[in-house]
Amino acid sequence: MKENIVPSGAGSHIALPTVSVCVGCFNQEAFIDTAIRSVAAQTYTAFECVVVDDFSTDGSRRRIEECLSQLGDSRFRFLPRLQNGGQWQQ
C-alpha cells in the first residue's frame, strides 16, 4: 500500500511494519462499536484488526457485524467463536 511507504532521507524510502490488533469481546454490546471505531480512527494505517466475539449472549455479535459492514474496511476481520472459551489461564 502506498501509505505504508515513508521517506527515510537521501531519497530512499522504508516500508512501515504492519501492526496486528486483536479486539476481544464477550458481552460488551454497549462498548464494542466504540472500540472498533477507535482502531479505525488511528493515524497509523499499516494495521490489520481481528475482532473476536467469544460467543456473547447479548447483541455484541450483531453490533460487530453492523459496525464492520459500515466501515467497509478490508483491514478488519471478524472471527465469531462457536462456544465461549473464556480467559486463558496458566
Side-chain angles (χ1 to χ4, degrees), residues 46-85:
F47 71 85
E48 62 179 356
C49 180
V50 178
V51 181
V52 180
D53 179 61
D54 197 14
F55 202 67
S56 293
T57 57
D58 64 356
S60 294
R61 182 177 179 157
R62 178 186 50 79
R63 290 287 297 262
I64 293 167
E65 289 171 336
E66 288 174 359
C67 182
L68 296 182
S69 177
Q70 290 170 2
L71 287 175
D73 190 328
S74 64
R75 296 174 296 178
F76 288 81
R77 288 189 309 145
F78 178 40
L79 296 177
R81 291 184 44 100
L82 300 177
Q83 66 182 35
N84 181 267

Side-chain angles (χ1 to χ4, degrees), residues 8-73:
S8 65
S12 63
H13 292 77
I14 58 170
L16 297 174
T18 298
V19 173
S20 296
V21 178
C22 181
V23 176
C25 178
F26 178 70
N27 290 344
Q28 296 297 316
E29 178 182 10
F31 307 103
I32 191 61
D33 189 81
T34 302
I36 293 169
R37 291 182 185 281
S38 174
V39 174
Q42 298 301 306
T43 57
Y44 189 84
T45 60
F47 71 85
E48 62 179 356
C49 180
V50 178
V51 181
V52 180
D53 179 61
D54 197 14
F55 202 67
S56 293
T57 57
D58 64 356
S60 294
R61 182 177 179 157
R62 178 186 50 79
R63 290 287 297 262
I64 293 167
E65 289 171 336
E66 288 174 359
C67 182
L68 296 182
S69 177
Q70 290 170 2
L71 287 175
D73 190 328

Side-chain angles (χ1 to χ4, degrees), residues 1-16:
M1 298 172 72
K2 209 172 203 176
E3 65 268 9
N4 295 342
I5 307 293
V6 294
S8 65
S12 63
H13 292 77
I14 58 170
L16 297 174

